[in-house]
Amino acid sequence: MVRKTREEALLTRELLLDAAEHVFRARGVGHASLAEVADAAGLTRGAVYWHFDSKAALFQAMVDRADMPHDACLQKMENSAGSDPLAALRAAAVESLLRVANDERARRVYDVVFLRCEYTEDLAAVRDQYLQSRQNCYQKIERTLRAAVQRGQLPAHLDVRCATRGLYAFISGLMRDSIETPEQIDLVRSAETLVDTYLIGLQHMPAPTTRRPRASAAVARAR
């Protein structure tokens, strides 16, 4: 009987998470209520609070269940960087894009996170966790880029911090675009080309030059 009860509890939790995906997409996280999630799942509001003490907790559990592509891929990247960090970085970026393209649950959850989540006061903890996750991503990408510089795969003068944030924004933007306007971008066909375009640009980044600042018009007239 105890085993059956545990299985039933897990099933109820899954039903609530499924319902949260659909309700948050339809209503937006800020406007949706736990009562609406319970109704969509065919359960009582008490069933929601048995598993999740707040909307923030429900939202975070929904995100965690989706196994967000960039988290798993970046960890895999660090584990496999070895003697070819640039190849590991490329593989992680491509795999992240392809998983968003092919994993329907990840697409639904990204849709909520990117397009339908207003970080209101009751979601402050979620926002803090998101910012921490982004910082962790920065650190992993930056370490891999620095390893690529050390191995001569990228130029020594590369601004690694700038390249890190550029790559993160590039990949995140592609994910967002593919969800918001899927008819305009086919990640299955173009993921490798898109990633290569960015990385090849880093490989051919020109060395910085020292330039004298241009004189203002007023100074020029005074001369």
Side-chain angles (χ1 to χ4, degrees):
M1 179 63 72
V2 173
R3 183 175 182 180
K4 181 179 180 181
T5 301
R6 185 179 299 118
E7 291 173 350
E8 289 176 345
L10 290 174
L11 176 59
T12 298
R13 188 176 190 275
E14 290 299 301
L15 289 173
L16 289 170
L17 293 174
D18 289 343
E21 288 181 4
H22 294 289
V23 172
F24 289 161
R25 287 185 76 193
R27 297 272 291 139
V29 180
H31 295 289
S33 68
L34 291 181
E36 289 174 312
V37 173
D39 288 343
L43 298 166
T44 65
R45 187 173 179 179
V48 180
Y49 281 108
W50 177 264
H51 292 275
F52 309 103
D53 60 8
S54 65
K55 183 163 60 175
L58 174 60
F59 176 86
Q60 190 59 57
M62 179 196 71
V63 172
D64 292 342
R65 184 181 68 157
D67 187 20
M68 302 305 275
H70 63 276
D71 292 330
C73 293
L74 287 177
Q75 187 58 54
K76 182 178 177 181
M77 173 192 73
E78 285 211 306
N79 294 340
S80 63
S83 62
D84 197 348
L86 193 61
L89 179 61
R90 178 187 185 275
V94 170
E95 185 178 350
S96 293
L97 293 176
L98 291 178
R99 289 182 65 178
V100 169
N102 295 319
D103 186 332
E104 285 302 318
R105 171 164 290 162
R107 289 182 67 81
R108 288 196 301 270
V109 173
Y110 263 123
D111 187 6
V112 174
V113 172
F114 281 142
L115 304 175
R116 308 178 197 281
C117 183
E118 312 86 358
Y119 287 109
T120 52
E121 184 176 350
D122 60 334
L123 292 176
V126 172
R127 176 171 172 77
D128 290 344
Q129 186 160 343
Y130 165 74
L131 293 175
Q132 183 59 54
S133 175
R134 185 172 67 182
Q135 189 62 34
N136 291 339
C137 288
Y138 284 160
Q139 292 171 356
K140 291 177 181 179
I141 294 171
E142 185 171 334
R143 284 195 294 265
T144 305
L145 284 173
R146 290 194 184 282
V149 170
Q150 292 172 357
R151 292 187 174 277
Q153 296 179 315
L154 292 173
H157 58 259
L158 180 69
D159 185 333
V160 175
R161 289 178 62 82
C162 183
T164 295
R165 280 148 183 77
L167 180 58
Y168 183 92
F170 180 64
I171 298 299
S172 297
L174 289 172
M175 291 177 176
R176 181 192 296 263
D177 286 353
S178 74
I179 292 168
E180 191 171 18
T181 54
E183 72 281 358
Q184 295 183 13
I185 181 169
D186 184 350
L187 290 182
V188 173
R189 296 183 59 184
S190 59
E192 291 190 0
T193 301
L194 289 165
V195 172
D196 286 343
T197 297
Y198 187 88
L199 296 182
I200 290 172
L202 295 184
Q203 289 177 307
H204 293 85
M205 181 69 66
T209 57
T210 302
R211 296 180 179 178
R212 294 178 60 187
R214 296 180 60 183
S216 67
V219 172
R221 284 196 299 269
R223 290 176 181 172

Coordinates of all heavy atoms in Angstrom, one line a residue, residues 127-201:
R127 N 14.0 34.2 -10.3 CA 14.9 35.1 -11.0 C 16.4 34.9 -10.5 O 17.3 34.9 -11.2 CB 14.5 36.5 -10.9 CG 15.4 37.5 -11.6 CD 14.8 38.9 -11.7 NE 15.8 39.8 -12.1 CZ 16.2 40.0 -13.4 NH1 15.7 39.2 -14.3 NH2 17.1 40.8 -13.8
D128 N 16.5 34.9 -9.2 CA 17.8 34.7 -8.6 C 18.5 33.4 -9.0 O 19.7 33.4 -9.4 CB 17.8 34.8 -7.1 CG 17.4 36.1 -6.5 OD1 17.5 37.1 -7.2 OD2 17.0 36.2 -5.3
Q129 N 17.7 32.4 -9.1 CA 18.3 31.1 -9.5 C 18.7 31.2 -11.0 O 19.7 30.6 -11.4 CB 17.3 30.0 -9.3 CG 17.9 28.6 -9.6 CD 17.1 27.5 -8.9 OE1 16.3 27.7 -8.0 NE2 17.3 26.3 -9.4
Y130 N 17.8 31.8 -11.8 CA 18.1 32.0 -13.2 C 19.4 32.8 -13.4 O 20.3 32.4 -14.2 CB 17.0 32.7 -13.9 CG 17.3 33.2 -15.3 CD1 17.5 32.4 -16.4 CD2 17.6 34.6 -15.5 CE1 17.8 32.8 -17.6 CE2 17.9 35.1 -16.7 CZ 18.1 34.2 -17.8 OH 18.4 34.7 -19.1
L131 N 19.6 33.8 -12.7 CA 20.8 34.6 -12.8 C 22.1 33.8 -12.4 O 23.1 33.9 -13.0 CB 20.7 35.9 -12.0 CG 19.7 36.9 -12.4 CD1 19.6 38.1 -11.5 CD2 20.0 37.4 -13.8
Q132 N 21.9 33.0 -11.3 CA 23.0 32.2 -10.9 C 23.4 31.1 -12.0 O 24.5 30.8 -12.2 CB 22.7 31.5 -9.6 CG 23.8 30.6 -9.0 CD 25.1 31.4 -8.8 OE1 25.1 32.5 -8.1 NE2 26.2 31.0 -9.3
S133 N 22.3 30.5 -12.6 CA 22.5 29.6 -13.6 C 23.2 30.2 -14.8 O 24.1 29.6 -15.4 CB 21.2 29.0 -14.1 OG 21.3 28.1 -15.2
R134 N 22.9 31.4 -15.2 CA 23.5 32.1 -16.3 C 25.0 32.4 -15.9 O 25.9 32.2 -16.8 CB 22.8 33.4 -16.6 CG 23.4 34.1 -17.8 CD 22.5 35.3 -18.2 NE 22.6 36.4 -17.2 CZ 21.9 37.5 -17.3 NH1 21.0 37.7 -18.3 NH2 22.0 38.4 -16.3
Q135 N 25.3 32.8 -14.7 CA 26.6 33.0 -14.3 C 27.5 31.7 -14.4 O 28.6 31.7 -14.8 CB 26.7 33.5 -12.9 CG 28.0 34.0 -12.4 CD 28.6 35.2 -13.3 OE1 27.8 36.0 -13.7 NE2 29.9 35.2 -13.5
N136 N 26.9 30.6 -14.0 CA 27.6 29.3 -14.1 C 27.9 29.0 -15.6 O 28.9 28.4 -15.9 CB 26.7 28.2 -13.5 CG 26.6 28.3 -12.0 OD1 27.4 29.0 -11.3 ND2 25.5 27.7 -11.4
C137 N 26.9 29.3 -16.5 CA 27.2 29.0 -17.9 C 28.3 29.9 -18.4 O 29.2 29.4 -19.1 CB 25.9 29.4 -18.7 SG 24.6 28.2 -18.5
Y138 N 28.3 31.2 -18.0 CA 29.4 32.1 -18.3 C 30.8 31.4 -17.9 O 31.7 31.4 -18.7 CB 29.3 33.4 -17.7 CG 28.3 34.3 -18.2 CD1 27.8 35.4 -17.5 CD2 27.8 34.2 -19.5 CE1 26.8 36.3 -18.0 CE2 26.8 35.1 -20.0 CZ 26.4 36.1 -19.2 OH 25.4 37.0 -19.7
Q139 N 30.8 31.0 -16.7 CA 32.1 30.4 -16.2 C 32.6 29.2 -17.0 O 33.8 29.1 -17.3 CB 31.9 30.1 -14.7 CG 31.7 31.3 -13.8 CD 31.4 31.0 -12.4 OE1 31.2 29.8 -12.1 NE2 31.3 32.0 -11.5
K140 N 31.7 28.3 -17.3 CA 32.0 27.1 -18.0 C 32.5 27.5 -19.5 O 33.5 26.9 -20.0 CB 30.9 26.2 -18.1 CG 30.6 25.5 -16.7 CD 29.4 24.6 -16.8 CE 29.1 24.0 -15.4 NZ 27.9 23.2 -15.4
I141 N 31.8 28.4 -20.1 CA 32.2 28.8 -21.5 C 33.5 29.5 -21.4 O 34.4 29.2 -22.3 CB 31.1 29.7 -22.1 CG1 29.8 28.9 -22.3 CG2 31.6 30.3 -23.4 CD1 28.6 29.8 -22.7
E142 N 33.7 30.4 -20.5 CA 34.9 31.1 -20.4 C 36.1 30.2 -20.1 O 37.2 30.4 -20.8 CB 34.8 32.2 -19.3 CG 36.1 33.1 -19.2 CD 35.9 34.3 -18.3 OE1 34.7 34.7 -18.1 OE2 36.9 34.8 -17.8
R143 N 36.0 29.3 -19.3 CA 37.1 28.3 -19.0 C 37.5 27.6 -20.3 O 38.7 27.4 -20.6 CB 36.7 27.3 -17.9 CG 36.8 27.9 -16.5 CD 36.8 26.8 -15.4 NE 35.5 26.1 -15.4 CZ 34.5 26.4 -14.6 NH1 34.6 27.5 -13.8 NH2 33.4 25.7 -14.6
T144 N 36.5 27.2 -21.0 CA 36.7 26.4 -22.3 C 37.4 27.3 -23.3 O 38.3 26.9 -24.0 CB 35.4 25.8 -22.8 OG1 34.8 25.0 -21.8 CG2 35.7 24.9 -24.0
L145 N 36.9 28.5 -23.5 CA 37.5 29.4 -24.4 C 39.0 29.7 -24.0 O 39.9 29.8 -24.9 CB 36.7 30.7 -24.5 CG 35.4 30.7 -25.3 CD1 34.7 32.0 -25.1 CD2 35.7 30.4 -26.7
R146 N 39.3 29.9 -22.7 CA 40.6 30.2 -22.3 C 41.5 29.0 -22.6 O 42.7 29.1 -23.0 CB 40.7 30.5 -20.8 CG 40.1 31.9 -20.5 CD 40.4 32.4 -19.1 NE 39.7 33.6 -18.8 CZ 40.1 34.8 -19.3 NH1 41.2 34.9 -20.0 NH2 39.4 35.9 -19.0
A147 N 41.0 27.8 -22.4 CA 41.8 26.6 -22.8 C 42.0 26.5 -24.3 O 43.1 26.1 -24.7 CB 41.0 25.3 -22.4
A148 N 41.1 27.0 -25.1 CA 41.3 27.0 -26.5 C 42.4 28.0 -26.9 O 43.2 27.8 -27.8 CB 40.0 27.3 -27.2
V149 N 42.4 29.1 -26.2 CA 43.5 30.1 -26.4 C 44.8 29.6 -26.1 O 45.8 29.7 -26.8 CB 43.2 31.4 -25.6 CG1 44.4 32.4 -25.7 CG2 41.9 32.1 -26.2
Q150 N 44.9 28.9 -24.9 CA 46.2 28.3 -24.5 C 46.7 27.3 -25.4 O 47.9 27.1 -25.6 CB 46.0 27.7 -23.1 CG 45.7 28.8 -22.0 CD 45.3 28.1 -20.7 OE1 45.2 26.9 -20.5 NE2 45.2 29.0 -19.6
R151 N 45.8 26.6 -26.1 CA 46.2 25.6 -27.1 C 46.4 26.1 -28.5 O 46.7 25.3 -29.4 CB 45.2 24.4 -27.1 CG 45.2 23.6 -25.8 CD 44.4 22.4 -25.8 NE 44.5 21.6 -24.6 CZ 45.5 20.7 -24.4 NH1 46.4 20.5 -25.3 NH2 45.5 20.0 -23.3
G152 N 46.3 27.4 -28.6 CA 46.5 28.0 -29.9 C 45.4 27.8 -30.9 O 45.5 28.1 -32.1
Q153 N 44.2 27.4 -30.4 CA 43.0 27.3 -31.3 C 42.3 28.6 -31.5 O 41.6 28.7 -32.5 CB 42.1 26.3 -30.7 CG 42.6 24.9 -30.6 CD 41.6 23.9 -29.9 OE1 41.0 24.2 -28.9 NE2 41.5 22.7 -30.5
L154 N 42.6 29.5 -30.7 CA 42.0 30.9 -30.8 C 43.1 31.9 -30.6 O 44.1 31.6 -29.9 CB 40.9 31.1 -29.8 CG 39.6 30.3 -30.0 CD1 38.7 30.5 -28.8 CD2 38.9 30.7 -31.2
P155 N 43.0 33.1 -31.1 CA 44.1 34.0 -31.0 C 44.4 34.5 -29.6 O 43.4 34.6 -28.8 CB 43.7 35.2 -31.9 CG 42.2 35.0 -32.0 CD 42.0 33.6 -32.0
A156 N 45.6 34.7 -29.2 CA 46.0 35.1 -27.9 C 45.4 36.4 -27.4 O 45.2 36.7 -26.3 CB 47.6 35.1 -27.8
H157 N 45.1 37.3 -28.4 CA 44.6 38.6 -28.1 C 43.1 38.6 -27.9 O 42.5 39.7 -27.7 CB 45.0 39.6 -29.2 CG 44.5 39.2 -30.5 ND1 45.3 38.7 -31.5 CD2 43.3 39.3 -31.1 CE1 44.6 38.4 -32.6 NE2 43.4 38.8 -32.4
L158 N 42.5 37.5 -28.0 CA 41.0 37.4 -28.0 C 40.5 37.9 -26.6 O 41.0 37.5 -25.6 CB 40.5 36.0 -28.2 CG 39.0 35.7 -28.1 CD1 38.3 36.4 -29.3 CD2 38.7 34.2 -28.0
D159 N 39.5 38.7 -26.6 CA 38.9 39.2 -25.4 C 37.9 38.1 -25.0 O 36.8 38.0 -25.4 CB 38.1 40.5 -25.6 CG 37.5 41.1 -24.3 OD1 37.2 40.3 -23.4 OD2 37.3 42.3 -24.3
V160 N 38.4 37.2 -24.1 CA 37.6 36.0 -23.8 C 36.3 36.3 -23.1 O 35.3 35.7 -23.3 CB 38.5 35.0 -22.9 CG1 37.7 33.8 -22.5 CG2 39.7 34.6 -23.7
R161 N 36.3 37.2 -22.2 CA 35.1 37.6 -21.5 C 34.0 38.1 -22.4 O 32.8 37.7 -22.4 CB 35.3 38.6 -20.4 CG 36.1 38.1 -19.2 CD 36.4 39.1 -18.1 NE 35.2 39.7 -17.6 CZ 34.5 39.1 -16.6 NH1 34.8 38.0 -16.1 NH2 33.4 39.7 -16.2
C162 N 34.4 38.9 -23.4 CA 33.5 39.4 -24.4 C 33.0 38.3 -25.3 O 31.8 38.2 -25.6 CB 34.2 40.5 -25.2 SG 33.1 41.3 -26.4
A163 N 33.9 37.4 -25.7 CA 33.5 36.3 -26.5 C 32.5 35.4 -25.8 O 31.6 34.8 -26.4 CB 34.8 35.5 -27.0
T164 N 32.7 35.2 -24.5 CA 31.9 34.4 -23.7 C 30.4 34.9 -23.7 O 29.5 34.2 -24.0 CB 32.4 34.3 -22.3 OG1 33.6 33.6 -22.2 CG2 31.4 33.5 -21.4
R165 N 30.3 36.2 -23.4 CA 28.9 36.7 -23.4 C 28.3 36.8 -24.7 O 27.1 36.7 -24.9 CB 29.0 38.1 -22.7 CG 29.1 38.0 -21.2 CD 29.9 39.1 -20.5 NE 29.9 38.8 -19.0 CZ 30.7 37.9 -18.5 NH1 31.5 37.2 -19.2 NH2 30.7 37.7 -17.2
G166 N 29.1 37.0 -25.7 CA 28.6 37.0 -27.1 C 28.1 35.7 -27.5 O 27.0 35.6 -28.1
L167 N 28.8 34.6 -27.2 CA 28.4 33.3 -27.5 C 27.1 32.9 -26.8 O 26.2 32.3 -27.4 CB 29.5 32.3 -27.2 CG 29.1 30.8 -27.5 CD1 28.8 30.6 -29.0 CD2 30.3 29.9 -27.2
Y168 N 27.0 33.2 -25.5 CA 25.8 33.0 -24.7 C 24.6 33.7 -25.3 O 23.6 33.1 -25.5 CB 26.0 33.4 -23.3 CG 24.9 33.0 -22.4 CD1 24.8 31.8 -21.7 CD2 23.8 33.9 -22.2 CE1 23.7 31.5 -20.9 CE2 22.7 33.6 -21.4 CZ 22.7 32.4 -20.7 OH 21.6 32.1 -19.9
A169 N 24.8 35.0 -25.6 CA 23.7 35.7 -26.2 C 23.3 35.2 -27.6 O 22.1 35.2 -27.9 CB 24.1 37.2 -26.3
F170 N 24.3 34.8 -28.3 CA 24.1 34.2 -29.7 C 23.2 33.0 -29.6 O 22.2 32.9 -30.3 CB 25.4 34.0 -30.3 CG 25.3 33.4 -31.7 CD1 24.8 34.1 -32.8 CD2 25.8 32.1 -32.0 CE1 24.7 33.6 -34.1 CE2 25.8 31.6 -33.3 CZ 25.2 32.4 -34.3
I171 N 23.6 32.0 -28.8 CA 22.9 30.8 -28.7 C 21.5 31.0 -28.1 O 20.5 30.4 -28.6 CB 23.7 29.7 -27.8 CG1 25.0 29.4 -28.5 CG2 22.9 28.5 -27.6 CD1 24.9 28.8 -29.9
S172 N 21.4 31.8 -27.0 CA 20.1 32.1 -26.4 C 19.2 32.7 -27.4 O 18.0 32.4 -27.4 CB 20.3 32.9 -25.1 OG 21.1 32.3 -24.2
G173 N 19.7 33.7 -28.2 CA 18.9 34.4 -29.1 C 18.4 33.4 -30.2 O 17.2 33.6 -30.6
L174 N 19.2 32.5 -30.7 CA 18.7 31.5 -31.7 C 17.6 30.6 -31.1 O 16.6 30.3 -31.8 CB 19.9 30.7 -32.1 CG 21.0 31.4 -33.0 CD1 22.2 30.5 -33.2 CD2 20.4 31.8 -34.3
M175 N 17.8 30.2 -29.8 CA 16.7 29.4 -29.2 C 15.4 30.2 -29.1 O 14.4 29.7 -29.5 CB 17.2 29.0 -27.8 CG 18.3 28.0 -27.8 SD 18.8 27.7 -26.1 CE 20.1 26.4 -26.3
R176 N 15.5 31.4 -28.7 CA 14.3 32.3 -28.6 C 13.7 32.5 -29.9 O 12.4 32.3 -30.1 CB 14.7 33.6 -28.0 CG 13.5 34.6 -27.8 CD 14.0 36.0 -27.5 NE 14.7 36.0 -26.2 CZ 14.1 36.4 -25.0 NH1 12.9 36.7 -25.0 NH2 14.9 36.4 -24.0
D177 N 14.5 32.8 -30.9 CA 13.9 33.0 -32.3 C 13.2 31.7 -32.8 O 12.2 31.8 -33.5 CB 15.0 33.4 -33.3 CG 15.4 34.9 -33.0 OD1 14.8 35.6 -32.2 OD2 16.4 35.3 -33.6
S178 N 13.8 30.6 -32.6 CA 13.3 29.3 -33.1 C 12.0 29.0 -32.5 O 11.1 28.3 -33.1 CB 14.3 28.2 -32.9 OG 14.3 27.8 -31.6
I179 N 11.8 29.4 -31.2 CA 10.5 29.2 -30.5 C 9.4 30.2 -30.9 O 8.3 29.9 -31.2 CB 10.7 29.2 -29.0 CG1 11.6 28.0 -28.6 CG2 9.4 29.2 -28.3 CD1 12.1 28.0 -27.2
E180 N 9.9 31.5 -31.0 CA 8.9 32.6 -31.3 C 8.5 32.6 -32.7 O 7.3 32.8 -33.1 CB 9.6 33.9 -30.9 CG 8.6 35.1 -30.9 CD 9.2 36.3 -30.3 OE1 10.5 36.4 -30.2 OE2 8.5 37.2 -29.9
T181 N 9.5 32.4 -33.7 CA 9.2 32.4 -35.1 C 9.8 31.1 -35.7 O 10.8 31.2 -36.5 CB 9.7 33.6 -35.8 OG1 11.1 33.8 -35.5 CG2 8.9 34.9 -35.3
P182 N 9.3 29.9 -35.5 CA 9.9 28.7 -36.0 C 9.9 28.6 -37.5 O 10.7 27.9 -38.1 CB 9.0 27.6 -35.4 CG 7.7 28.3 -35.0 CD 8.1 29.7 -34.7
E183 N 9.0 29.4 -38.1 CA 8.9 29.3 -39.6 C 10.1 30.1 -40.2 O 10.4 29.9 -41.4 CB 7.6 29.9 -40.1 CG 7.5 31.4 -40.0 CD 7.1 31.9 -38.6 OE1 6.9 31.0 -37.7 OE2 7.0 33.1 -38.3
Q184 N 10.8 30.8 -39.5 CA 11.9 31.6 -40.0 C 13.3 31.1 -39.8 O 14.3 31.6 -40.3 CB 11.9 33.1 -39.4 CG 10.6 33.8 -39.9 CD 10.6 35.2 -39.3 OE1 11.6 35.8 -38.9 NE2 9.5 35.9 -39.4
I185 N 13.4 30.0 -38.9 CA 14.7 29.5 -38.6 C 14.6 28.0 -38.4 O 13.8 27.5 -37.6 CB 15.4 30.2 -37.4 CG1 16.8 29.6 -37.2 CG2 14.5 30.1 -36.2 CD1 17.6 30.4 -36.2
D186 N 15.3 27.2 -39.1 CA 15.3 25.7 -39.0 C 16.6 25.3 -38.3 O 17.7 25.2 -39.0 CB 15.2 25.1 -40.4 CG 15.1 23.6 -40.3 OD1 15.3 23.0 -39.2 OD2 14.8 23.0 -41.4
L187 N 16.6 25.1 -37.0 CA 17.8 24.8 -36.3 C 18.3 23.4 -36.7 O 19.6 23.2 -36.6 CB 17.6 24.8 -34.8 CG 17.3 26.2 -34.2 CD1 17.1 26.1 -32.7 CD2 18.5 27.1 -34.5
V188 N 17.5 22.5 -37.1 CA 17.9 21.1 -37.5 C 18.9 21.2 -38.6 O 19.9 20.6 -38.7 CB 16.7 20.2 -37.8 CG1 17.2 18.9 -38.3 CG2 15.9 20.0 -36.5
R189 N 18.5 22.1 -39.6 CA 19.4 22.2 -40.8 C 20.5 23.2 -40.6 O 21.6 23.0 -41.3 CB 18.5 22.7 -42.0 CG 17.4 21.7 -42.4 CD 16.6 22.2 -43.6 NE 17.5 22.4 -44.7 CZ 17.1 22.9 -45.9 NH1 15.8 23.3 -46.1 NH2 17.9 23.0 -46.9
S190 N 20.4 24.2 -39.8 CA 21.4 25.3 -39.8 C 22.2 25.4 -38.5 O 23.0 26.3 -38.4 CB 20.7 26.6 -40.0 OG 19.7 26.8 -39.1
A191 N 22.0 24.5 -37.5 CA 22.7 24.7 -36.2 C 24.2 24.7 -36.4 O 24.9 25.5 -35.9 CB 22.3 23.5 -35.3
E192 N 24.7 23.7 -37.2 CA 26.2 23.6 -37.3 C 26.7 24.9 -38.0 O 27.8 25.4 -37.6 CB 26.6 22.4 -38.1 CG 26.3 21.1 -37.3 CD 26.9 19.9 -38.0 OE1 27.5 20.0 -39.1 OE2 26.8 18.8 -37.4
T193 N 26.1 25.3 -39.1 CA 26.5 26.5 -39.8 C 26.5 27.7 -38.9 O 27.4 28.6 -39.0 CB 25.6 26.7 -41.1 OG1 25.7 25.6 -41.9 CG2 26.1 27.9 -41.8
L194 N 25.4 27.9 -38.2 CA 25.3 29.1 -37.3 C 26.4 29.1 -36.3 O 27.1 30.1 -36.0 CB 24.0 29.1 -36.6 CG 22.8 29.3 -37.5 CD1 21.5 28.9 -36.8 CD2 22.7 30.8 -37.9
V195 N 26.7 28.0 -35.6 CA 27.7 27.9 -34.6 C 29.1 28.1 -35.2 O 29.9 28.9 -34.7 CB 27.7 26.6 -33.9 CG1 28.9 26.4 -32.9 CG2 26.4 26.4 -33.0
D196 N 29.3 27.5 -36.4 CA 30.6 27.7 -37.1 C 30.9 29.1 -37.4 O 32.0 29.6 -37.4 CB 30.7 26.8 -38.3 CG 30.9 25.3 -37.9 OD1 31.3 25.0 -36.8 OD2 30.7 24.5 -38.8
T197 N 29.8 29.8 -37.8 CA 30.0 31.2 -38.2 C 30.5 32.0 -37.1 O 31.4 32.9 -37.2 CB 28.6 31.8 -38.7 OG1 28.1 31.1 -39.8 CG2 28.7 33.3 -39.0
Y198 N 30.0 31.8 -35.9 CA 30.5 32.5 -34.7 C 31.9 32.1 -34.3 O 32.8 33.0 -34.1 CB 29.6 32.3 -33.5 CG 29.9 33.2 -32.3 CD1 29.4 34.4 -32.2 CD2 30.8 32.7 -31.3 CE1 29.7 35.3 -31.1 CE2 31.1 33.5 -30.2 CZ 30.6 34.8 -30.2 OH 30.9 35.6 -29.1
L199 N 32.2 30.8 -34.3 CA 33.5 30.4 -33.8 C 34.6 30.7 -34.8 O 35.7 31.1 -34.5 CB 33.5 28.9 -33.6 CG 32.6 28.4 -32.4 CD1 32.7 26.9 -32.2 CD2 32.9 29.1 -31.1
I200 N 34.3 30.6 -36.1 CA 35.3 31.0 -37.1 C 35.6 32.5 -37.0 O 36.7 33.0 -37.2 CB 34.8 30.7 -38.6 CG1 34.8 29.1 -38.7 CG2 35.7 31.3 -39.6 CD1 34.1 28.7 -40.0
G201 N 34.6 33.3 -36.7 CA 34.8 34.7 -36.5 C 35.8 34.9 -35.3 O 36.6 35.8 -35.4

